[in-house]
Amino acid sequence: MTAPRTLPGHLAHPFSPRGRLDPYPAYRWLRENDPVHFDVTSRMWLLTTHADCALALRDPRFSAALGQRERVRDDELPPSMLTTDPPEHQRLRSPGALLMGPAAIRGVAGDIEAGIGAVLDVLAGRDEIEATADIGEPLATGVLARLFGLPAADVPVFAGLAARVSVNLDPLAGPQAAAAGRAAMGELTRFLGERADAATAAAAGNGPGGSPFGRLAADDRLTRAEMLGIAALTVVGGWKPLAEMVGNALHWLLPCHEAADRIRNGGREVAESAVDELLRLESPIPFTARVTTEAVPLDGGVIPAGARVLALVGAANRDPAVFDRPDELLVTRSPNPHLAFGAGTHLCLGAPLVRQAGGLLLSGLLERYPGLRRTGKPPAWAPGLVPRRLTGFTLAI
């Protein structure tokens, strides 16, 4: 292997504290100059083109199971679709669809829409709000609470656990944060376990109503540990990214009045298309880890067997070879083959739910509060690596 190339001195490494604030200049340089890049800092191969990232997400030579073991942290992840390869992945994914699949979402669609309306109602009469705390987190809590069929008394406890467990998203979290994440995951698993029996009884017709979680908990294809692993993954992988998507989206939308008007007046199809485009521009999960099971030749070089690989989704989603005007917001972009939801067998089960809930929230928010605007200091990108998110995003209504 030839000597690895390094970023020019004027560019911050995308994983460094400064680079995390704006990784796109480094992504662009890597994509144009060294798209199959061996990073001497992390000892990982970084892929930045759309073609290479899509291949890594779809090709079985890039193992997701091995990739999840390459985290800095040494805590064991629960059994789930995220941590397995086919055929084990499909064995877990099929029952997982009972919680997050299209039929499950259709069954709670009315409740989700009513919950979003309630989130918007609470904003009335306020002079100033914070995007994530006042919109994003209540949205994510309400959506997941309906999937799990939680009674109102359980929702505040669930919201607190979801917030605390979200540190598990960051594969580079330090020891103190990792310990807090392990403790929160244990509490969340116990919380879900305690409610699984009641949810199962309700799903079987022995209780008041049913829920997607009840149908998952009742499925005999899974062990209890596997069922709880899928449920916990739904919270870890769904709550924080959905909550932070709102601030990221408004960051792009509010200065672009034409785009906001199109969402406000364009109906459900335009709103859901806009969600895809906003996730393309700011992917909350900016990379996905894999490990190669054999040598893989790519146009930019050969990745050896056993190599640690990061598919930099945030870079791939702005690849000009695939996206016209890649750094601009085009809310009706079509086609839009972004990789924010992954690809291949690991395509996010919750993608339709995110499009639906996000579209309803954005169109309703812009319609009911047409004067919504940024106020105070400009928001800042958080220094953490995952999820990519804004902090201090205050809005005037």
Side-chain angles (χ1 to χ4, degrees):
M1 185 176 70
T2 59
R5 302 184 68 178
T6 58
L7 287 163
H10 70 283
L11 291 177
H13 191 286
F15 299 164
S16 70
R18 183 164 64 92
R20 295 176 190 185
L21 304 180
D22 183 11
Y24 298 107
Y27 287 167
R28 187 179 305 113
W29 187 92
L30 289 170
R31 196 173 53 234
E32 294 173 353
N33 296 280
D34 196 16
V36 181
H37 173 76
F38 181 72
D39 179 45
V40 295
T41 302
S42 63
R43 309 298 295 176
M44 292 183 177
W45 293 81
L46 308 183
L47 305 181
T48 48
T49 70
H50 188 279
D52 287 345
C53 288
L55 179 72
L57 294 174
R58 292 187 172 100
D59 195 308
R61 293 174 295 177
F62 293 85
S63 169
L66 295 176
Q68 292 304 315
R69 298 172 192 168
E70 292 300 323
R71 308 187 310 162
V72 167
R73 295 158 47 184
D74 58 5
D75 48 311
E76 185 176 349
L77 293 171
S80 71
M81 294 90 74
L82 182 67
T83 59
T84 52
D85 295 319
E88 181 69 0
H89 169 84
Q90 192 57 40
R91 185 183 71 81
L92 297 172
R93 187 181 180 92
S94 294
L98 295 171
L99 180 62
M100 293 286 285
I105 295 167
R106 284 194 299 271
V108 294
D111 290 339
I112 287 174
E113 185 168 3
I116 290 171
V119 171
L120 298 177
D121 287 343
V122 171
L123 305 180
R126 299 275 301 274
D127 294 325
E128 189 173 277
I129 58 174
E130 202 283 324
T132 300
D134 294 322
I135 308 174
E137 291 180 359
L139 167 72
T141 299
V143 167
L144 291 180
R146 283 159 178 81
L147 288 179
F148 285 97
L150 298 179
D154 282 350
V155 171
V157 176
F158 173 76
L161 286 171
R164 290 171 50 211
V165 82
S166 295
V167 71
N168 290 291
L169 280 170
D170 192 345
L172 303 180
Q176 186 174 359
R182 283 194 297 272
M185 179 63 85
E187 291 181 50
L188 174 66
T189 302
R190 287 190 292 275
F191 174 90
L192 294 173
E194 289 168 358
R195 282 142 187 87
D197 293 338
T200 303
N206 298 324
S211 68
F213 180 48
R215 289 183 279 278
L216 172 68
D219 194 284
D220 61 7
R221 291 173 291 177
L222 299 173
T223 67
R224 188 172 180 84
E226 289 168 344
M227 178 273 292
L228 290 174
I230 290 170
L233 171 66
T234 300
V235 179
V236 175
W239 188 85
K240 192 69 170 176
L242 182 56
E244 300 296 352
M245 182 198 75
V246 175
N248 294 1
L250 293 175
H251 169 73
W252 280 90
L253 278 173
L254 294 183
C256 187
H257 300 299
E258 181 182 353
D261 285 342
R262 297 197 73 169
I263 294 171
R264 186 183 292 114
N265 303 315
R268 176 175 176 174
E269 184 176 349
V270 171
E272 293 189 4
S273 171
V275 170
D276 274 304
E277 175 69 348
L278 292 159
L279 288 170
R280 181 191 70 83
L281 283 165
E282 298 293 352
S283 305
I285 310 298
F287 58 77
T288 298
R290 296 287 189 265
V291 170
T292 51
T293 58
E294 60 182 84
V296 181
L298 299 172
D299 287 344
V302 177
I303 300 180
R308 305 158 68 204
V309 179
L310 289 184
L312 296 181
V313 170
N317 282 346
R318 298 197 186 193
D319 187 343
V322 176
F323 302 100
D324 182 43
R325 296 154 61 190
D327 297 318
E328 296 182 30
L329 171 63
L330 305 176
V331 295
T332 55
R333 184 185 294 274
S334 180
N336 191 349
H338 69 83
L339 302 175
F341 290 126
T345 59
H346 286 85
L347 182 70
C348 178
L349 259 178
L353 175 63
V354 172
R355 291 189 182 102
Q356 178 180 318
L360 285 169
L361 185 283
L362 291 176
S363 59
L365 181 66
L366 294 171
E367 180 180 356
R368 293 176 62 170
Y369 303 104
L372 194 68
R373 64 195 184 278
R374 194 178 74 190
T375 187
K377 295 181 180 179
W381 292 104
L385 198 58
V386 182
R388 179 160 171 77
R389 62 188 183 91
L390 287 165
T391 61
F393 193 3
T394 57
L395 303 166
I397 296 181

